[in-house]
Amino acid sequence: MAKELDLDWANLKFGYLPTDYNVRCYFRDGKWGEIEVSSSDTINMHMAATCLHYGQEAFEGLKAYRCKDGHIRVFRPEENAARLQSTCRGILMPELPTEKFVEMVKKVVLLNERFVPPYESGATLYVRPLLIGTSAQVGVHPATEYLFIIFVTPVGPYFKGGFATNNYVIARDHDRSAPLGTGIYKVGGNYAASLQANKWAHDQGYACEFYLDAKEKKYIDECGAANFFGIKNNTYVTPLSTSILPSITNKSLMQLAEDLGMKVERRQIPEEELETFEEAGACGTAAVISPIGEIDDPVMNKKYVIAKDGKPGPISEKLYKKLKAIQYGEEPDTHNWITIVK
Ligand SMILES: *Cc1c(COP(=O)(O)O)cnc(C)c1O
């Protein structure tokens, strides 16, 4: 029987805390092998592995929730599997079957059950799948061998002082991804491309950098590493772009907005339209919704104040609460989004 843990759950950061196990699966000789369990948090790899030189790396992110009813739930893992498969097609890696992905998610959560934070803490278990090309080569070609790993680590609640707004700054001097590039795939390279802008934003006291489309610098793209949505006239508006990562949270919020009788629009959003939104938010697994207070465009000497009173809007809050309630099994799972691990 594993030892009970006594961690300060509510004050955990979004860091890395070692857990008991991770799960691994190797792709060799053209096929995926058996699922392996490891208690080591390092990997032994050839120095000429393609992931180290040419960025053959993909990742995913989801969470496991310990719920009031005692169950442990994960949210739409099949969607993460499908997105990883899309990333694999994008950077020429072998696709991992959905069943294997979901089985490994369940397995790694169960193996580390004592690290799933208690319900009351608001903390969660972050689940991080990654896939890397491991075979040795110096020429630029896809690898012939791959390693898929899922590790988990407990993370603290995103909103420590309650649901609150954040401010963003438009990074006109940086692009995260190109219109026909890898922005639609969850690869590490996009994050490397964002580090400068991210630091630039943080150094000025903003929560995060905000991207316009790389080609015209006219339309809203992404809100750091989160999708953007705006709300006005009972309509949920989110960008249609070939350079943003298709967020599962955003996809779910679009569905919930529709369920609430709102209109949903996916289209290009010109920067100036920011003036017209009653509410706006950044969305992703980490926060679900991070409401936007203000977006500044210092190069153009413009400021878009969205939350006039500095507080999150009522529709954002409603969507946030609704999605959280589904994730925690407190509202009916009418769209079949939940996998019960235990
Ligand atoms: C992971 C990610 C998101 C959020 O996706 P979710 O599936 O909602 O967690 C948004 N943008 C980028 C660039 C991402 O990497």
Side-chain angles (χ1 to χ4, degrees):
M1 183 65 195
K3 252 195 8 247
E4 281 283 321
L5 280 171
D6 186 22
L7 290 173
D8 185 8
W9 302 105
N11 290 308
L12 288 174
K13 304 233 160 8
F14 198 78
Y16 176 81
L17 207 83
T19 60
D20 291 332
Y21 302 102
N22 56 84
V23 293
R24 308 180 178 202
C25 186
Y26 293 89
F27 182 90
R28 294 184 184 119
D29 301 322
K31 56 179 192 298
W32 290 101
E34 295 299 316
I35 298 169
E36 299 176 20
V37 175
S38 171
S39 54
S40 164
D41 49 15
T42 63
I43 52 182
N44 200 351
M45 185 163 49
H46 198 287
M47 61 187 175
T50 61
C51 64
L52 298 177
H53 300 261
Y54 306 126
Q56 257 200 319
E57 186 271 352
F59 68 100
E60 276 300 327
L62 61 163
K63 284 175 167 182
Y65 309 88
R66 192 184 294 279
C67 306
K68 219 184 326 193
D69 63 5
H71 285 299
I72 298 173
R73 290 176 169 82
V74 293
F75 186 68
R76 307 188 81 174
E78 308 80 11
E79 288 288 329
N80 293 94
R83 188 169 65 189
L84 179 61
Q85 288 154 7
S86 158
T87 300
C88 287
R89 292 190 292 275
I91 62 166
L92 304 188
M93 304 199 290
E95 293 176 40
L96 186 85
T98 301
E99 307 71 56
K100 195 153 215 155
F101 182 96
V102 175
E103 185 186 344
M104 287 176 74
V105 167
K106 287 187 189 166
K107 191 171 180 114
V108 73
V109 171
L110 271 181
L111 283 167
N112 295 288
E113 197 193 328
R114 66 192 189 114
F115 293 92
V116 186
Y119 169 75
E120 300 73 26
S121 67
T124 52
L125 187 73
Y126 185 70
V127 180
R128 168 53 63 86
L130 69 146
L131 173 59
I132 52 177
T134 51
S135 49
Q137 62 200 47
V138 182
V140 182
H141 305 287
T144 54
E145 296 189 350
Y146 293 84
L147 169 57
F148 177 67
I149 302 187
I150 309 182
F151 69 76
V152 296
T153 194
V155 296
Y158 192 88
F159 295 107
K160 294 212 172 66
F163 197 53
T165 59
N166 277 123
N167 298 338
Y168 294 82
V169 59
I170 294 178
R172 284 190 173 268
D173 297 335
H174 299 271
D175 293 316
R176 187 190 77 94
S177 66
L180 300 177
T182 56
I184 52 170
Y185 307 125
K186 210 165 174 80
V187 297
N190 297 334
Y191 280 75
S194 75
L195 290 173
Q196 272 194 9
N198 189 256
K199 181 179 185 311
W200 172 79
H202 283 158
D203 286 350
Q204 300 172 82
Y206 291 98
C208 212
E209 77 280 18
F210 195 95
Y211 294 104
L212 298 178
D213 76 284
K215 190 174 175 188
E216 299 191 65
K217 291 284 185 189
K218 218 172 135 181
Y219 302 102
I220 290 168
D221 231 40
E222 279 208 88
C223 209
N227 278 189
F228 172 87
F229 70 86
I231 288 171
K232 61 177 180 186
N233 311 323
N234 203 35
T235 306
Y236 182 103
V237 191
T238 192
L240 186 66
S241 155
T242 55
S243 50
I244 67 181
L245 199 277
S247 153
I248 297 162
T249 311
N250 195 8
K251 187 175 177 178
S252 308
L253 291 172
M254 284 188 252
Q255 178 66 56
L256 294 181
E258 218 175 274
D259 294 353
L260 289 172
M262 297 175 67
K263 243 179 84 185
V264 172
E265 292 178 2
R266 267 181 97 183
R267 55 167 171 83
Q268 288 187 311
I269 305 175
E271 179 186 332
E272 303 72 50
E273 194 176 340
L274 287 173
E275 251 159 39
T276 67
F277 288 118
E278 297 151 13
E279 302 177 28
C283 59
T285 295
V288 177
I289 289 175
S290 179
I292 297 176
E294 155 180 340
I295 299 171
D296 296 347
D297 188 350
V299 175
M300 302 307 250
N301 207 10
K302 277 196 169 154
K303 245 183 211 304
Y304 303 93
V305 180
I306 292 166
K308 307 282 188 283
D309 56 0
K311 294 204 190 78
I315 296 175
S316 302
E317 185 153 4
K318 197 169 185 176
L319 288 168
Y320 171 78
K321 286 191 167 151
K322 181 100 189 161
L323 188 50
K324 292 275 265 197
I326 295 171
Q327 290 172 334
Y328 280 90
E330 288 157 18
E331 287 237 8
D333 176 24
T334 53
H335 299 289
N336 247 317
W337 286 343
I338 297 299
T339 292
I340 295 189
V341 173
K342 190 188 162 168

